[in-house]
Amino acid sequence: MACTESECVADCVRRAETLAFADPPPHSIGYMPIYVPRELIHAAGLLPAGLYGGGDRLEIIRGDAYFQSYICRIPRSTIELALSGHLDRLDGMLFPSICDVIRNLSGMWQMLFPDRYVRYIDVPQNFDPAVGGRFWRHELETLRRDMERIAGRPIDDEALRNSIAVYNENRAAIRELYAQRSRAPWRFPLSEAYLVLRAGNSVPPEEHTALIRDYIRGAENDLSRREMDQSRVVLAGMFCEQPPHGLLVTLERAGCAVVDDDLFLGMRWIQGDIPLDGDPLQNLVDAYLTASATTASRYSPEGHRAKWLLESYRRNEAEGVIFCAPSFCDPALLEQPMLVAALDRAGIPHTEFKYSEDTGQFAVIREQAGTFSDSIRLWSAS
Amino acid sequence: MKVFVGIDLGSTTTKAVILDEEERVIGRGITNSRSNYDVACAVVREEAFVRARFTMIERGLRTPRPHVIQDLERNFRLHQHLEQLDRLREAMLMLAARRGTPASIINGICDEMAIRARKHFAPGATRKSDFFRDLAAADYMSLAEAIREVSFESLCAIYDAAILAVENLTLDRAFERHIGSALQETEDGESLKEAVGAACNAELVESGSVGTGYGRQRLPFPKEQIRSEILCHGLGAHAMFPGTRTVLDIGGQDTKAIQLDPNGIVTSFQMNDRCAAGCGRYLGYIADEMNLGLHELGPLANESRHRVKINSTCTVFAGAELRDRLALGQKREDILAGLHRAIILRAMSLLARSGGISDEFTFTGGVARNSAAVGALRDLIAENYGARTINISHESIYTGALGAALFATRSAVRGNA
Amino acid sequence: MKENSMLLQKQLLADHFDALARARDEGKKVVYTFVPGNLNELVRSFDLLPVLPEINALQSGMRKLSGGYITEAEKSGHSEDVCTYVKCDIGMLRKGNIGPTGKPLPKPDLLLLSYTGCFTFMKWFELLREEYDCPVAMLHVPYQSEGRIEPHQREYIVQQLRSEIIPKLEQVSGREFDIEKLRSMLRLSSKAEDDLVWVLESAKNTPSPIDAFFAGVYYLGPIFSAFRGTEDAVQYYRTLRGEIEERIANKEGPITPDGPMKGERYRLVVEGPPNWTSFRDFWKMFYEEDAVVVASTYTKVGGLYDQGFRHDPDHPLETLADYALGCYTNLSLPARVDLLARYIRDYRADGFLVNSVKSCNSFSVGQLLMLRQLEERTGVPGAFIESDLVDPRYFSAANIKNRIESYLQMLDQKRGAA
């Protein structure tokens, strides 16, 4: 077929965009950011559907009635989606322990939808196998039983092992995408990669893995993509409420090549492959204890977060860091001063701004990101 | 006869309503709330009593003569206006003398203002405002602009100082003082003479009064005679439209959503939080930013074919956001349509918090006069609650004062029992 | 006129802050920790001195210092969006860490991070660790999402106490864990708790002899903070109880800053914390309308004693676990609604009021839904006001007064209609 590589990429991105904002299909279990063990849901034959708010297209008609003006946007749009019937096909909702807002949202769900399955996933903050590990295993056993009940079939170890393998593949593809982006961000702009990743919230992981691989292959071979004069930056703060897509486009147009970020962190929460032999449930527990990513919602003993950020900066040969956090996001905004201090100590340039999922105007951000990008280029040239 | 007075001291206007013993409205008044609330209160009360006497005249006639009464009232207003003008002249002359501005200039302007005043109150003439300060200011400024000997700025300074002083004077016994000359100038005035005489001599015994509104704590009333504007608004809306179960009031500074029982008793209410986003004041900013009059916003928004989605109604960012959008090439009417919808969306949230929208629904406050806001509200109510009777009264500005007057009547009745 | 209990409490606090000021010189070790679910008996059993930054922050609010502290923290890069307790504490630190009695506070030897019912606690002590570079002991208290304490949650906490908290306390204090000492302190806790519950439930009388919110926060001071498990606390609650018994016998209402309340026209239940920067003005808006608070949830952030919990010396670690799990802000939203509905019924309330504070998402998120559900379940109308804990910029007196008045008049009108 006479299809150029660039047309293939465009097609892939279009497909990803359609999927990225799709309603969850039947037989799915919705979950809020950041981390849930999706393997357990998948092994029951259900689809884990990541819910990341309503974006900037959804008009909030009912959701605002439930929240005071000083609460972030994601619970409003999530409630809006539910009350307007968009989530009716979900077989259940999981609320991981991200912050007090999402925690209480789980209780609101219990009150608003008393007939639906709701579970708060209390992710442990203790990483001792005999303590946090035991607790987490208990939580996962409960979740496993619940999923079995909803699916109407048992989850045997073989099925769970298979699901772990499927997600190992998915994580490997995502790692590959990040590695490629870090090598050549102009070939894999975040504004595209974002859509490709986000599509994974509403399609089976096998399909998502294929989509990522298609995209990588297409973009790699797209000769029309040229290296651009951009500054290499790490983005931090976007792990829960999502930036509008236009904001990512704005950053790139302002001269920022994003080489690492914390978007959809749950998809790559476990760093590396989870072993397939032995007790698969225990393997999930151990992976959480030993191979978890780090984020503001997780307790950070001895300044782990700052270490992670500096490491990412160095590994990805970045030139600066942009803190881009949602307004009223407690975890991101409370930890920001600590990370800023660490960057200052290391002499790393940084800038900060806030957004909300429905930010409609990017003029200020364009200006600020452009100035930042210019200044770090001058700075690294000198 | 016994009468009952309700006064609503709002952030921009003060309103008074007078009821008779049968809870019928016999007089109403409105004035701008000034820095001196006592004066605003006295002025508005006097005006309502004047209007009450006109009602007495109407009631005293065997055959109704609406046109003659209209004429009489117009002439009466002219005399009131001229009296105010005299006071303004006095105050300005005093200030002019102190500043060394020639008296002849002030007198010249004031003479011309008096001539214009007669035109404002000529039969069939329409006035831009019924407030003395608005009419006088417009006339004065246009006349002062033409003066060459003294700078426009210094003439403005004289006016500004004088109008404050004049506004803070109360003019009592207005009816008795002006009705005679007004009657003489009224064609066919003879036919009213008897009724006017009776109205003049009638004793209006103020048998109860209740104050409300945001400035109610500063009204010269004892505490038992103060009611919250929520209660007054609820009862007022119930009196205007007895089927009312839900009330939305969008005023300059705040938005209120109120639920009522079948007797007009408030069962639940919600108000906007400390942020004034989405209130009437916000539309004021937008109008200023677009160089439009407040009343022009609605009609312009109604011309929109492709409404823009606006997410924030924050007054702080309103100007910047507007300029950004205009710079992007978005049309004024489309932006305005989006803004009106955004304001109403906020109101919808408050309504939902207070318990939703029941039938019938009554919309009051300044924003209820904006056709685009009303349109957006109708759409959203239909989409989210289905068919509802939506009441909007031309006299909705008096809702709070009417409720207060009703409370005055009822507590007097209870007091006697 | 000061009551004995008030003088006693004042003395307790003064002595404690004196001891803290002398701690360095006397070689005493200091532990910073949080109020909800605190392990005061355990800390004290190691002879360590507790400091509660939340209490310092609210005291700064009452002494009108918080505004300046918050500005200080925001200048150094803290967002205007986040919890003002944290910013007040950071600002106070930058200004020399002077405690509420005017004496300097010692630096912590250990940050005991009991992560109970509030996510912000975790970040707060991460921030303090950056300042002090001292060890942190983290106690993760799971959430009662299903409306009850699950055995594995209790076990998880006990294991953390054994493997993480106690070893670190031993290390910092240089003492061995003495379970008998802990038991004897828990016994004292339970004694004081009996009297406290009696005090809180005295509000079931008509007229209520206490205000269970505005005065309640004073009554709760000793037991929520550094004094639970001490003889001093036992004595305080015994004295307080005696005073209230007398007020009941004399049919007297609560004592307010302007003297005893005369009438009782409205009995209210309050959900949410108070505002501290205008505490007196806020209280006055109630008592000048003869409104008395008969039950509140804020006075349960340090334990739901009135629902039957007592520290149990026979199961020392398990009881600490249950205590931490049982704090009000660790309850699910449906459980909070149940509790409030019970209060409205048991205390025969005419109404309930939600004070929604900007700083505290743990309290605030979902309150608008709670309000509706409570109205539906109890038929009692609710009021909703917004303010903040210690940010004076978020207390609009005129606005709040307007709402409270409107609400009380609405209650009157409904009563008249009934």
Side-chain angles (χ1 to χ4, degrees):
Chain A
M1 281 293 286
C3 168
T4 67
E5 293 294 349
S6 62
E7 281 168 15
C8 288
V9 174
D11 185 52
C12 186
V13 170
R14 246 193 319 275
R15 191 151 48 98
E17 184 169 15
T18 317
L19 295 169
F21 299 103
D23 278 2
H27 307 299
S28 352
I29 299 289
Y31 65 92
M32 298 292 289
I34 304 169
Y35 173 68
V36 298
R38 291 174 297 166
E39 291 85 345
L40 271 177
I41 305 168
H42 183 262
L46 300 164
L47 177 71
L51 296 179
Y52 279 80
D56 57 352
R57 304 176 199 190
L58 182 76
E59 187 172 58
I60 307 297
I61 295 170
R62 291 170 239 205
D64 275 341
Y66 295 92
F67 299 98
Q68 301 89 329
S69 55
Y70 49 79
I71 311 288
C72 60
R73 304 297 307 177
I74 189 169
R76 300 165 201 271
S77 56
T78 306
I79 289 263
E80 183 78 29
L81 286 171
L83 291 177
S84 53
H86 287 276
L87 306 182
D88 285 356
R89 286 186 296 186
L90 288 179
D91 284 337
M93 268 295 278
L94 305 179
F95 295 86
S97 49
I98 303 171
C99 68
D100 295 326
V101 176
I102 302 298
R103 186 196 75 171
N104 285 12
L105 186 61
S106 74
M108 293 175 70
W109 223 266
Q110 289 170 331
M111 295 199 277
L112 283 169
F113 310 107
D115 304 332
R116 299 192 195 175
Y117 174 77
V118 186
R119 187 159 179 88
Y120 180 70
I121 304 285
D122 219 334
V123 184
Q125 300 284 0
N126 178 299
F127 293 82
D128 181 338
V131 184
R134 236 167 102 179
F135 173 76
W136 189 227
R137 182 167 176 111
H138 191 281
E139 293 286 298
L140 295 194
E141 279 167 355
T142 308
L143 186 62
R144 183 180 189 160
R145 276 195 303 277
D146 289 351
M147 291 303 111
E148 287 174 336
R149 188 168 43 76
I150 290 172
R153 68 185 215 202
I155 301 175
D156 61 37
D157 282 0
E158 212 35 55
L160 188 51
R161 256 182 227 114
N162 172 53
S163 295
I164 290 175
V166 165
Y167 278 101
N168 277 345
E169 271 296 299
N170 186 254
R171 282 186 288 262
I174 295 172
R175 277 200 301 278
E176 163 79 6
L177 177 57
Y178 271 81
Q180 293 279 17
R181 274 177 52 203
S182 177
R183 270 198 288 282
W186 42 273
R187 193 174 272 150
F188 305 91
L190 177 60
S191 51
E192 287 178 4
Y194 175 84
L195 297 172
V196 173
L197 285 176
R198 185 158 181 163
N201 291 321
S202 45
V203 294
E206 300 86 343
E207 209 178 300
H208 185 227
T209 307
L211 179 72
I212 299 168
R213 300 234 186 261
D214 280 356
Y215 171 69
I216 296 176
R217 209 170 309 117
E220 250 176 350
N221 298 322
D222 178 358
L223 299 177
S224 69
R225 302 193 165 206
R226 296 265 182 275
E227 186 157 4
M228 285 186 282
D229 182 23
Q230 285 177 312
S231 307
R232 297 170 62 85
V233 301
V234 173
L235 273 189
M238 302 173 148
F239 49 83
C240 182
E241 181 176 318
Q242 294 299 286
H245 188 248
L247 191 152
L248 302 178
V249 174
T250 301
L251 288 180
E252 286 175 339
R253 289 203 185 136
C256 297
V258 179
V259 292
D260 198 10
D261 57 62
D262 53 7
L263 287 155
F264 307 115
L265 198 57
M267 287 185 181
R268 52 208 160 91
W269 182 260
I270 303 299
Q271 319 271 293
D273 285 347
I274 301 177
L276 298 175
D277 51 347
D279 174 3
L281 195 72
Q282 193 55 40
N283 291 347
L284 278 180
V285 172
D286 293 343
Y288 175 81
L289 297 176
T290 58
S292 275
T294 171
T295 180
S297 292
R298 184 184 147 182
Y299 174 55
S300 162
E302 322 308 329
H304 278 175
R305 281 285 293 149
K307 247 182 261 167
W308 167 84
L309 188 59
L310 294 179
E311 229 173 74
S312 165
Y313 173 84
R314 291 191 185 114
R315 190 179 62 240
N316 295 297
E317 292 170 356
E319 297 160 288
V321 173
I322 296 182
F323 291 101
C324 194
S327 293
F328 303 109
C329 174
D330 275 348
L333 294 171
L334 280 164
E335 81 159 3
Q336 198 165 288
M338 290 182 264
L339 299 183
V340 163
L343 294 180
D344 283 342
R345 284 194 295 272
I348 296 171
H350 57 84
T351 189
E352 296 83 38
F353 49 79
K354 290 189 288 189
Y355 65 87
S356 60
E357 64 178 12
D358 64 351
T359 298
Q361 292 298 300
F362 305 117
V364 177
I365 291 174
R366 185 167 56 235
E367 193 66 30
Q368 198 182 333
T371 310
F372 180 64
S373 158
D374 289 349
S375 74
I376 56 180
R377 254 175 294 175
L378 288 175
W379 191 78
S380 51
S382 66
Chain B
M1 83 191 247
K2 283 186 179 175
V3 296
F4 304 89
V5 182
I7 294 190
D8 176 4
L9 188 46
S11 59
T12 40
T13 54
T14 299
K15 285 78 62 175
V17 166
I18 300 180
L19 299 180
D20 64 12
E21 276 177 292
E22 277 83 53
E23 297 191 349
R24 285 177 302 185
V25 176
I26 56 168
R28 275 195 308 234
I30 181 166
T31 187
N32 51 310
S33 301
R34 337 160 141 67
S35 49
N36 188 334
Y37 286 168
D38 284 5
V39 173
C41 185
V43 167
V44 83
R45 178 193 287 268
E46 183 63 31
E47 196 193 322
F49 270 102
V50 164
R51 186 51 233 167
R53 302 240 174 227
F54 276 98
T55 305
M56 313 280 305
I57 299 173
E58 283 163 22
R59 290 190 184 172
L61 292 175
R62 254 163 260 124
T63 27
R65 299 178 192 279
H67 295 293
V68 187
I69 290 183
Q70 234 171 42
D71 247 18
L72 177 68
E73 195 164 354
R74 192 172 41 73
N75 287 328
F76 181 88
R77 301 250 170 248
L78 170 65
H79 280 278
Q80 265 190 314
H81 188 91
L82 290 174
E83 185 188 25
Q84 293 259 57
L85 202 53
D86 284 343
R87 306 243 177 171
L88 183 65
R89 183 195 302 251
E90 265 171 52
M92 287 202 294
L93 284 172
M94 220 167 70
L95 287 161
R98 241 185 272 160
R99 290 159 182 250
T101 305
S104 58
I105 290 180
I106 300 296
N107 277 321
I109 294 177
C110 287
D111 291 346
E112 182 58 30
M113 282 172 81
I115 294 168
R116 289 195 183 183
R118 290 189 179 274
K119 285 184 193 150
H120 292 320
F121 290 93
T126 54
R127 292 173 292 281
K128 277 195 177 134
S129 164
D130 282 328
F131 293 165
F132 173 74
R133 70 174 299 151
D134 295 344
L135 289 176
D139 290 347
Y140 182 88
M141 295 307 159
S142 72
L143 291 163
E145 264 176 345
I147 304 287
R148 291 287 159 262
E149 301 94 303
V150 183
S151 79
F152 179 66
E153 286 69 31
S154 76
L155 286 174
C156 285
I158 290 173
Y159 175 84
D160 289 345
I163 191 77
L164 276 182
V166 170
E167 281 206 315
N168 284 336
L169 290 172
T170 50
L171 303 164
D172 52 355
R173 301 183 49 76
F175 187 80
E176 293 85 334
R177 284 187 290 107
H178 297 299
I179 196 68
S181 23
L183 193 61
Q184 274 175 14
E185 289 166 21
T186 303
E187 200 178 318
D188 227 358
E190 275 303 305
S191 63
L192 302 181
K193 204 164 177 185
E194 200 179 316
V196 168
C200 248
N201 293 328
E203 221 186 329
L204 296 181
V205 185
E206 188 173 325
S207 308
S209 56
V210 163
T212 187
Y214 206 73
R216 62 182 181 271
Q217 302 302 338
R218 296 166 68 178
L219 282 169
F221 287 4
K223 201 179 159 209
E224 315 80 73
Q225 279 168 251
I226 303 277
R227 288 285 189 292
S228 98
E229 74 248 46
I230 299 281
L231 266 61
C232 292
H233 237 86
L235 193 56
H238 171 76
M240 286 178 173
F241 302 101
T244 302
R245 301 302 295 271
T246 303
V247 184
L248 172 68
D249 176 78
I250 309 185
Q253 300 282 22
D254 60 21
T255 304
K256 303 184 262 281
I258 305 170
Q259 305 291 340
L260 299 177
D261 76 1
N263 301 311
I265 307 267
V266 177
T267 56
S268 156
F269 69 92
Q270 286 283 328
M271 294 167 79
N272 58 307
D273 55 27
R274 63 190 270 290
C275 158
C279 298
R281 187 58 53 89
Y282 172 73
L283 283 174
Y285 286 125
I286 297 298
D288 289 349
E289 194 67 40
M290 285 193 168
N291 243 329
L292 292 168
L294 198 53
H295 59 284
E296 293 171 283
L297 292 180
L300 186 55
N302 288 335
E303 285 171 27
S304 164
R305 313 296 292 276
H306 302 283
R307 184 179 69 224
V308 166
K309 183 170 177 281
I310 303 240
N311 294 323
S312 163
T313 50
C314 175
T315 42
V316 181
F317 298 117
E321 171 147 14
L322 200 63
R323 284 190 291 276
D324 263 11
R325 290 189 179 277
L326 289 170
L328 285 173
Q330 294 177 345
K331 287 190 186 155
R332 288 202 305 180
E333 56 268 35
D334 294 342
I335 300 172
L336 280 177
L339 285 170
H340 282 87
R341 184 159 170 106
I343 287 172
I344 297 302
L345 274 173
R346 273 185 72 92
M348 293 292 287
S349 289
L350 279 185
L351 283 162
R353 284 181 196 178
S354 76
I357 297 178
S358 304
D359 215 20
E360 298 169 6
F361 173 82
T362 300
F363 184 21
T364 65
V367 176
R369 282 179 294 195
N370 178 315
S371 55
V374 172
L377 185 66
R378 284 188 195 281
D379 291 349
L380 279 163
I381 290 177
E383 286 163 25
N384 292 285
Y385 294 94
R388 290 286 183 274
T389 304
I390 299 175
N391 306 311
I392 299 171
S393 161
H394 292 296
E395 286 145 7
S396 82
I397 196 157
Y398 294 102
T399 309
L402 173 60
L406 285 167
F407 275 118
T409 320
R410 290 176 189 187
S411 63
V413 169
R414 242 203 320 269
N416 293 342
Chain C
M1 179 201 72
K2 293 259 187 227
E3 296 166 289
N4 282 329
S5 63
M6 273 170 92
L7 298 172
L8 209 57
Q9 176 164 178
K10 223 174 160 192
Q11 195 56 47
L12 275 182
L13 281 169
D15 290 349
H16 182 62
F17 283 102
D18 283 352
L20 286 171
R22 294 193 312 265
R24 280 290 152 250
D25 295 340
E26 294 178 355
K28 288 248 186 183
K29 297 288 166 69
V30 174
V31 175
Y32 282 24
T33 196
F34 294 110
V35 170
N38 69 57
L39 306 173
N40 194 58
E41 298 89 344
L42 186 63
V43 170
R44 290 273 191 175
S45 78
F46 286 95
D47 228 5
L48 295 161
L49 287 173
V51 169
L52 299 141
E54 294 151 284
I55 307 272
N56 297 340
L58 75 86
Q59 294 267 8
S60 299
M62 290 181 107
R63 290 184 303 138
K64 312 272 181 206
L65 296 170
S66 55
Y69 291 156
I70 291 165
T71 314
E72 184 72 23
E74 288 179 0
K75 267 197 294 195
S76 67
H78 288 263
S79 167
E80 69 258 40
D81 292 356
V82 301
C83 172
T84 53
Y85 266 0
V86 178
K87 287 183 285 188
C88 181
D89 190 37
I90 300 273
M92 183 172 100
L93 182 68
R94 301 243 192 285
K95 297 261 188 185
N97 223 16
I98 305 297
T101 57
K103 299 194 171 165
L105 290 168
K107 288 181 180 174
D109 297 289
L110 177 73
L111 295 167
L112 174 51
L113 167 47
S114 52
Y115 167 42
T116 302
C118 167
F119 177 87
T120 299
F121 286 159
M122 198 163 88
K123 294 288 128 181
W124 190 341
F125 272 9
E126 285 181 16
L127 283 159
L128 287 195
R129 187 195 52 220
E130 299 257 308
E131 303 284 340
Y132 293 118
D133 196 26
C134 70
V136 185
M138 161 62 146
L139 176 68
H140 175 207
V141 177
Y143 183 50
Q144 274 200 49
S145 53
E146 301 298 314
R148 60 181 177 269
I149 294 174
E150 314 263 357
H152 81 289
Q153 294 180 322
R154 178 183 300 123
E155 198 186 318
Y156 177 38
I157 296 179
V158 170
Q159 283 165 348
Q160 290 181 78
L161 292 175
R162 288 213 175 95
S163 66
E164 165 80 5
I165 308 298
I166 292 175
K168 282 198 168 141
L169 290 169
E170 285 180 327
Q171 213 177 338
V172 168
S173 65
R175 286 168 185 250
E176 240 177 82
F177 174 47
D178 178 351
I179 198 161
E180 287 315 314
K181 190 166 178 195
L182 177 62
R183 282 187 211 275
S184 68
M185 294 193 76
L186 292 169
R187 210 162 285 126
L188 292 177
S189 299
S190 153
K191 246 187 188 171
E193 287 156 4
D194 284 341
D195 282 335
L196 166 74
V197 170
W198 187 92
V199 167
L200 291 174
E201 292 190 334
S202 73
K204 288 181 180 169
N205 285 284
T206 311
S208 169
I210 62 163
D211 185 289
F213 182 57
F214 293 105
V217 300
Y218 289 99
Y219 301 154
L220 268 302
I223 208 136
F224 277 9
S225 63
F227 309 101
R228 202 181 58 241
T230 65
E231 288 283 5
D232 287 341
V234 174
Q235 200 205 333
Y236 170 80
Y237 287 102
R238 183 65 25 103
T239 311
L240 178 64
R241 179 175 173 162
E243 288 164 1
I244 292 166
E245 277 170 346
E246 209 170 301
R247 286 220 286 277
I248 295 175
N250 297 334
K251 293 249 173 237
E252 282 173 342
I255 310 272
T256 74
D258 289 338
M261 250 175 93
K262 291 281 179 288
E264 178 188 280
R265 282 182 65 202
Y266 312 95
R267 296 169 64 86
L268 303 177
V269 168
V270 171
E271 146 74 13
N275 162 276
W276 300 109
T277 48
S278 302
F279 186 82
R280 286 279 176 94
D281 295 339
F282 193 28
W283 190 355
K284 194 170 181 185
M285 292 175 194
F286 291 81
Y287 68 71
E288 70 183 4
E289 301 288 339
D290 301 325
V292 58
V293 182
V294 288
S296 66
T297 53
Y298 180 69
T299 50
K300 312 298 169 351
V301 292
L304 271 81
Y305 300 112
D306 62 335
Q307 303 301 306
F309 174 82
R310 291 291 181 281
H311 280 92
D312 174 7
D314 295 333
H315 304 94
L317 296 188
E318 290 75 10
T319 204
L320 290 176
D322 283 355
Y323 174 61
L325 281 159
C327 292
Y328 180 70
T329 46
N330 205 46
L331 301 186
S332 72
L333 261 58
R336 282 168 64 183
V337 171
D338 286 345
L339 183 68
L340 280 159
R342 273 205 299 281
Y343 284 163
I344 291 167
R345 189 193 63 208
D346 295 350
Y347 288 80
R348 298 187 321 282
D350 304 301
F352 69 95
L353 175 130
V354 179
N355 181 36
S356 177
V357 295
K358 170 186 173 276
S359 274
C360 191
N361 286 343
S362 173
F363 257 109
S364 302
V365 173
Q367 279 175 330
L368 284 157
L369 180 59
M370 288 170 63
L371 176 94
R372 292 237 59 80
Q373 297 234 331
L374 272 171
E375 284 184 335
E376 277 164 29
R377 267 173 62 172
T378 64
V380 169
F384 195 80
I385 57 175
E386 288 171 88
S387 67
D388 187 45
L389 297 168
V390 290
D391 192 337
R393 295 170 294 189
Y394 281 84
F395 190 85
S396 163
N399 189 316
I400 290 171
K401 193 173 162 61
N402 186 16
R403 285 191 203 199
I404 292 174
E405 267 183 26
S406 299
Y407 176 69
L408 296 178
Q409 287 181 16
M410 178 179 96
L411 292 184
D412 259 349
Q413 202 187 14
K414 287 184 97 161
R415 258 200 289 237

